[in-house]
Amino acid sequence: MLISDAGEVYAFGKDSFGEVEYGGQGTKTVATPQLVESLKNIFVVQAAIGNFFTAVLSREGRVYTFSWGNDGRLGHQAEPNDVEPHPLLGALENIPVVQIAAGYCYLLALACQPSGMSVYSVGCGLGGKLGHGSRTDEKYPRLIEQFQLLNLQPMVVAAGAWHAAVVGRDGRVCTWGWGRYGCLGHGNEECESVPKVVDALSKVKAVHVATGDYTTFVVSDDGDVYSFGCGESASLGHNAAAADDGQVNRHPNVLSPELVTSLKEVKERVVQISLTNSVYWNAHTFALTESGKLYAFGAGDKGQLGMELVNNQTERGNPEQVDVDLR
C-alpha cells in the first residue's frame, strides 16, 4: 500500500484474503497501484499489513481494519467477505492512536492518553505476543499494562510476524512473544508473554526498532545498529566476509544483540532499518542513512536487494548502496 500526501491509499499485489478489497476472498493480482475507493472519505496517514488483514490509521487517530470480520477478532462484527474498512471498536474508540504495527495475525497500536503514551494489542495471542501474560486471543484492543510496571513510556512500536518490540522515551528496548532463534535478544529462545527489557542494550539509548520474522534490529541515538535473531541469508549483517562467496544458510543465529559492524563502515548515521517479514522467503534488510542513502544486504537471488549480484552470488553480506535517490 502507498499513501499520498493527500491521505489517499493505493494498493497493489496479490489479494489472497481480500486485504486490498479487490475480489473478496479471491486471489486476484493487482499489478499496478489502484486507488482504494472505500477509503476515499478517510484521510489516511499510515497503513499496516498483516497476513490476513490490513489496518489503516486516520489523521484523526482512528484505526480502521479490513478483512478478518468473520469472528470479530479485530473489533468489528462483519461478514467474511466484507472488505469495507471498519473502525476498530472497544477501548480505542475515544483514544487517539499515533502509530500502528501489524504482525502475522495481530495488531499493535501506540495511543496517546492524558497520562502518557500506551500500547494496545488485539488479535491472536499465541506465544504471548499480545503482551498480557497469557496466550489468549483478544477480540478488542486491550491495554498492555506491563509498561506501567516497568515505568517505561513507549514511543515506537514494532510488530514482527510472531514477536513484538517497543522503544521507550528513555531509550530502553522491550521485546516479547515467540523467542525462536533468539529474536527477543534475551540470550535464549524462550517465549515472553509480557514485555521484557533487553538487558544487553542497557548502555544503548535506542531511537528506532524494526522486527521481522524472528529477527530484530535496534538503532541507537548515535546511529549504531544492533541486530539479533535468525541469521538466515546474512540478513542480520554479521559474518559479512563469509557471506560474500555466494553460499547460503550457514549463518548462526544471534541470541543477544550484536553491533552490526558492517554498517559502521558506511560512515554515515543510520536512521531507519526495514526488513522482510519472512525468513522463509529469502530474508533481506535495508538501512537508510541520514543523508537519504539506502543500503541493502541479505538474500538477493530474486532481485530484492535492488542490485545485480555477480559470480553466482545469492546474497550480500556487506551492506551495498542501492542506486536510488531518496533525498
Side-chain angles (χ1 to χ4, degrees):
M1 284 187 161
L2 302 177
I3 301 172
S4 75
D5 57 359
E8 296 176 321
V9 179
Y10 295 83
F12 51 98
K14 184 177 180 182
D15 180 26
S16 298
F17 292 93
E19 297 101 323
V20 292
E21 83 170 344
Y22 306 104
Q25 297 288 326
T27 56
K28 182 178 179 180
T29 296
V30 181
T32 57
Q34 302 290 324
L35 179 66
V36 181
E37 293 286 348
S38 61
L39 289 171
K40 63 183 179 181
N41 293 322
I42 301 172
F43 193 111
V44 175
V45 295
Q46 188 193 350
I49 301 174
N51 200 59
F52 299 103
F53 71 97
T54 295
V56 297
L57 178 63
S58 75
R59 179 172 52 182
E60 295 75 26
R62 292 299 305 273
V63 180
Y64 298 81
T65 60
F66 293 83
S67 193
W68 262 25
N70 56 330
D71 61 2
R73 278 182 292 183
L74 280 182
H76 56 74
Q77 304 293 336
E79 296 300 319
N81 59 354
D82 185 354
V83 292
E84 293 293 312
H86 292 271
L88 194 61
L89 303 179
L92 291 176
E93 289 185 66
N94 298 308
I95 301 176
V97 172
V98 297
Q99 184 198 348
I100 54 176
Y104 187 84
C105 51
Y106 70 105
L107 181 71
L108 300 178
L110 180 64
C112 182
Q113 296 179 300
S115 58
M117 306 300 289
S118 58
V119 179
Y120 288 77
S121 62
V122 60
C124 173
L126 285 177
K129 59 185 177 291
L130 295 186
H132 305 303
S134 70
R135 301 186 179 188
T136 305
D137 295 351
E138 298 290 340
K139 292 185 177 181
Y140 297 95
R142 178 180 172 185
L143 174 68
I144 299 179
E145 300 176 354
Q146 183 69 10
F147 295 117
Q148 294 175 316
L149 299 176
L150 294 172
N151 193 28
L152 184 146
Q153 185 164 176
M155 298 302 293
V156 180
V157 297
W162 305 103
H163 73 291
V166 153
V167 173
R169 182 183 293 274
D170 59 6
R172 284 184 292 170
V173 177
C174 287
T175 58
W176 68 96
W178 288 100
R180 193 176 181 187
Y181 305 122
C183 64
L184 300 185
H186 301 308
N188 55 48
E189 296 189 49
E190 300 297 320
C191 294
E192 299 290 344
S193 59
V194 295
K196 180 178 179 180
V197 174
V198 181
D199 291 333
L201 293 172
S202 60
K203 296 182 180 180
V204 174
K205 185 174 183 180
V207 294
H208 172 70
V209 64
T211 49
D213 193 342
Y214 304 119
T215 52
T216 306
F217 280 76
V218 173
V219 181
S220 72
D221 61 347
D222 58 7
D224 283 343
V225 179
Y226 299 81
S227 67
F228 43 98
C230 182
E232 177 112 2
S233 304
S235 63
L236 292 181
H238 307 304
N239 303 315
D244 288 336
D245 60 6
Q247 299 182 37
V248 295
N249 299 333
R250 301 158 291 92
H251 310 289
N253 301 322
V254 179
L255 304 185
S256 295
E258 289 188 9
L259 180 67
V260 184
T261 55
S262 58
L263 281 173
K264 293 280 284 186
E265 298 172 7
V266 168
K267 300 188 183 307
E268 277 203 66
R269 180 189 178 94
V270 174
V271 295
Q272 184 180 349
I273 295 288
S274 180
L275 59 158
T276 181
N277 214 21
S278 176
V279 297
Y280 304 110
W281 291 96
N282 304 86
H284 57 290
T285 305
F286 292 97
L288 182 66
T289 69
E290 199 168 33
S291 67
K293 293 178 181 177
L294 187 68
Y295 292 84
F297 52 96
D301 58 315
K302 295 179 173 61
Q304 62 266 53
L305 296 182
M307 64 187 71
E308 185 176 356
L309 300 182
V310 297
N311 300 326
N312 296 319
Q313 289 181 336
T314 59
E315 60 187 41
R316 284 288 305 177
N318 281 313
E320 185 167 325
Q321 187 174 351
V322 182
D323 185 17
V324 57
D325 187 359
L326 296 178
R327 290 172 295 175

